[in-house]
Every structure is written in C-alpha cells, then in structure tokens.
Amino acid sequence: MFPAVKFTLDIGHCIQNGDDYLSFIELNKDRIVNIHLHNALKDGKAHYGFHKNGQLNLKKLISTLKRIQYSGFMSLEILQTEDIKKSWAVLLNSL
C-alpha cells in the first residue's frame, strides 16, 4: 500500500508467530532497513541467545541475507548480557 515505507523486521517475533521470515525477507528485501535478531520458539519464549535451544536457523538467515545483498542494520535483541556475548561468537562463526 505504501511502497516508500521502510521497516524493521523482528526475526524472533516472526518465529514466535510461525511466519516464514526467509521468504518474507526475499520478497521485501528493498523495504527492510533493520533486523532485530534473537532466538525464539514458536508460540513460546523469545529474546534469548543463539547458543540456546530455539528455532532460529541462523545459517539459513545469514545465507539469505548474503544472497540478497542485505546492507541494512542488524541489532541483537537479546536480554541477558552473557547471552549477548555468546551470541556474538555464534554470529561471527556463521559469517
């Protein structure tokens, strides 16, 4: 409806809702300017690290972002300091 509007995509909340975020990213690649990234469970908890059990497929996400040449922002939306530190290591190993 508003093609000039850009937005933030929250991957963890997509997971909680059961949304196909990878297809959404590919379809809307020109409109996504920020990604909030955290691990989550469908119909369950969110905002925790990549090293914990969850349904985030970080490797597929990174692969998709590379394929579409995503150049926007990405922020880790993880609540615990220790989880943030461990998640950075997991993320860097996924690149």
Side-chain angles (χ1 to χ4, degrees):
M1 227 173 145
F2 304 102
V5 172
K6 308 292 184 191
F7 55 88
T8 295
L9 178 64
D10 192 313
I11 301 294
H13 292 289
C14 288
I15 292 169
Q16 284 182 302
N17 295 335
D19 299 328
D20 181 357
Y21 59 91
L22 296 175
S23 294
F24 184 85
I25 289 169
E26 292 196 38
L27 290 172
N28 295 282
K29 63 185 174 188
D30 296 328
R31 299 183 67 196
I32 300 169
V33 295
N34 187 25
I35 293 176
H36 283 191
L37 185 57
H38 55 95
N39 207 347
L41 293 168
K42 185 177 183 302
D43 299 321
K45 293 184 177 185
H47 300 106
Y48 55 91
F50 309 146
H51 61 291
K52 295 190 174 180
N53 289 332
Q55 293 170 309
L56 172 65
N57 189 328
L58 189 58
K59 289 187 186 228
K60 280 189 178 179
L61 174 62
I62 297 299
S63 175
T64 299
L65 295 177
K66 285 180 179 180
R67 185 173 54 260
I68 67 165
Q69 299 179 336
Y70 178 74
S71 62
F73 294 96
M74 182 182 295
S75 58
L76 299 188
E77 192 177 17
I78 298 169
L79 302 181
Q80 302 298 320
T81 302
E82 191 60 32
D83 285 352
I84 294 169
K85 291 177 185 177
K86 290 179 180 177
S87 293
W88 270 113
V90 172
L91 180 60
L92 292 174
N93 285 329
S94 297
L95 300 176

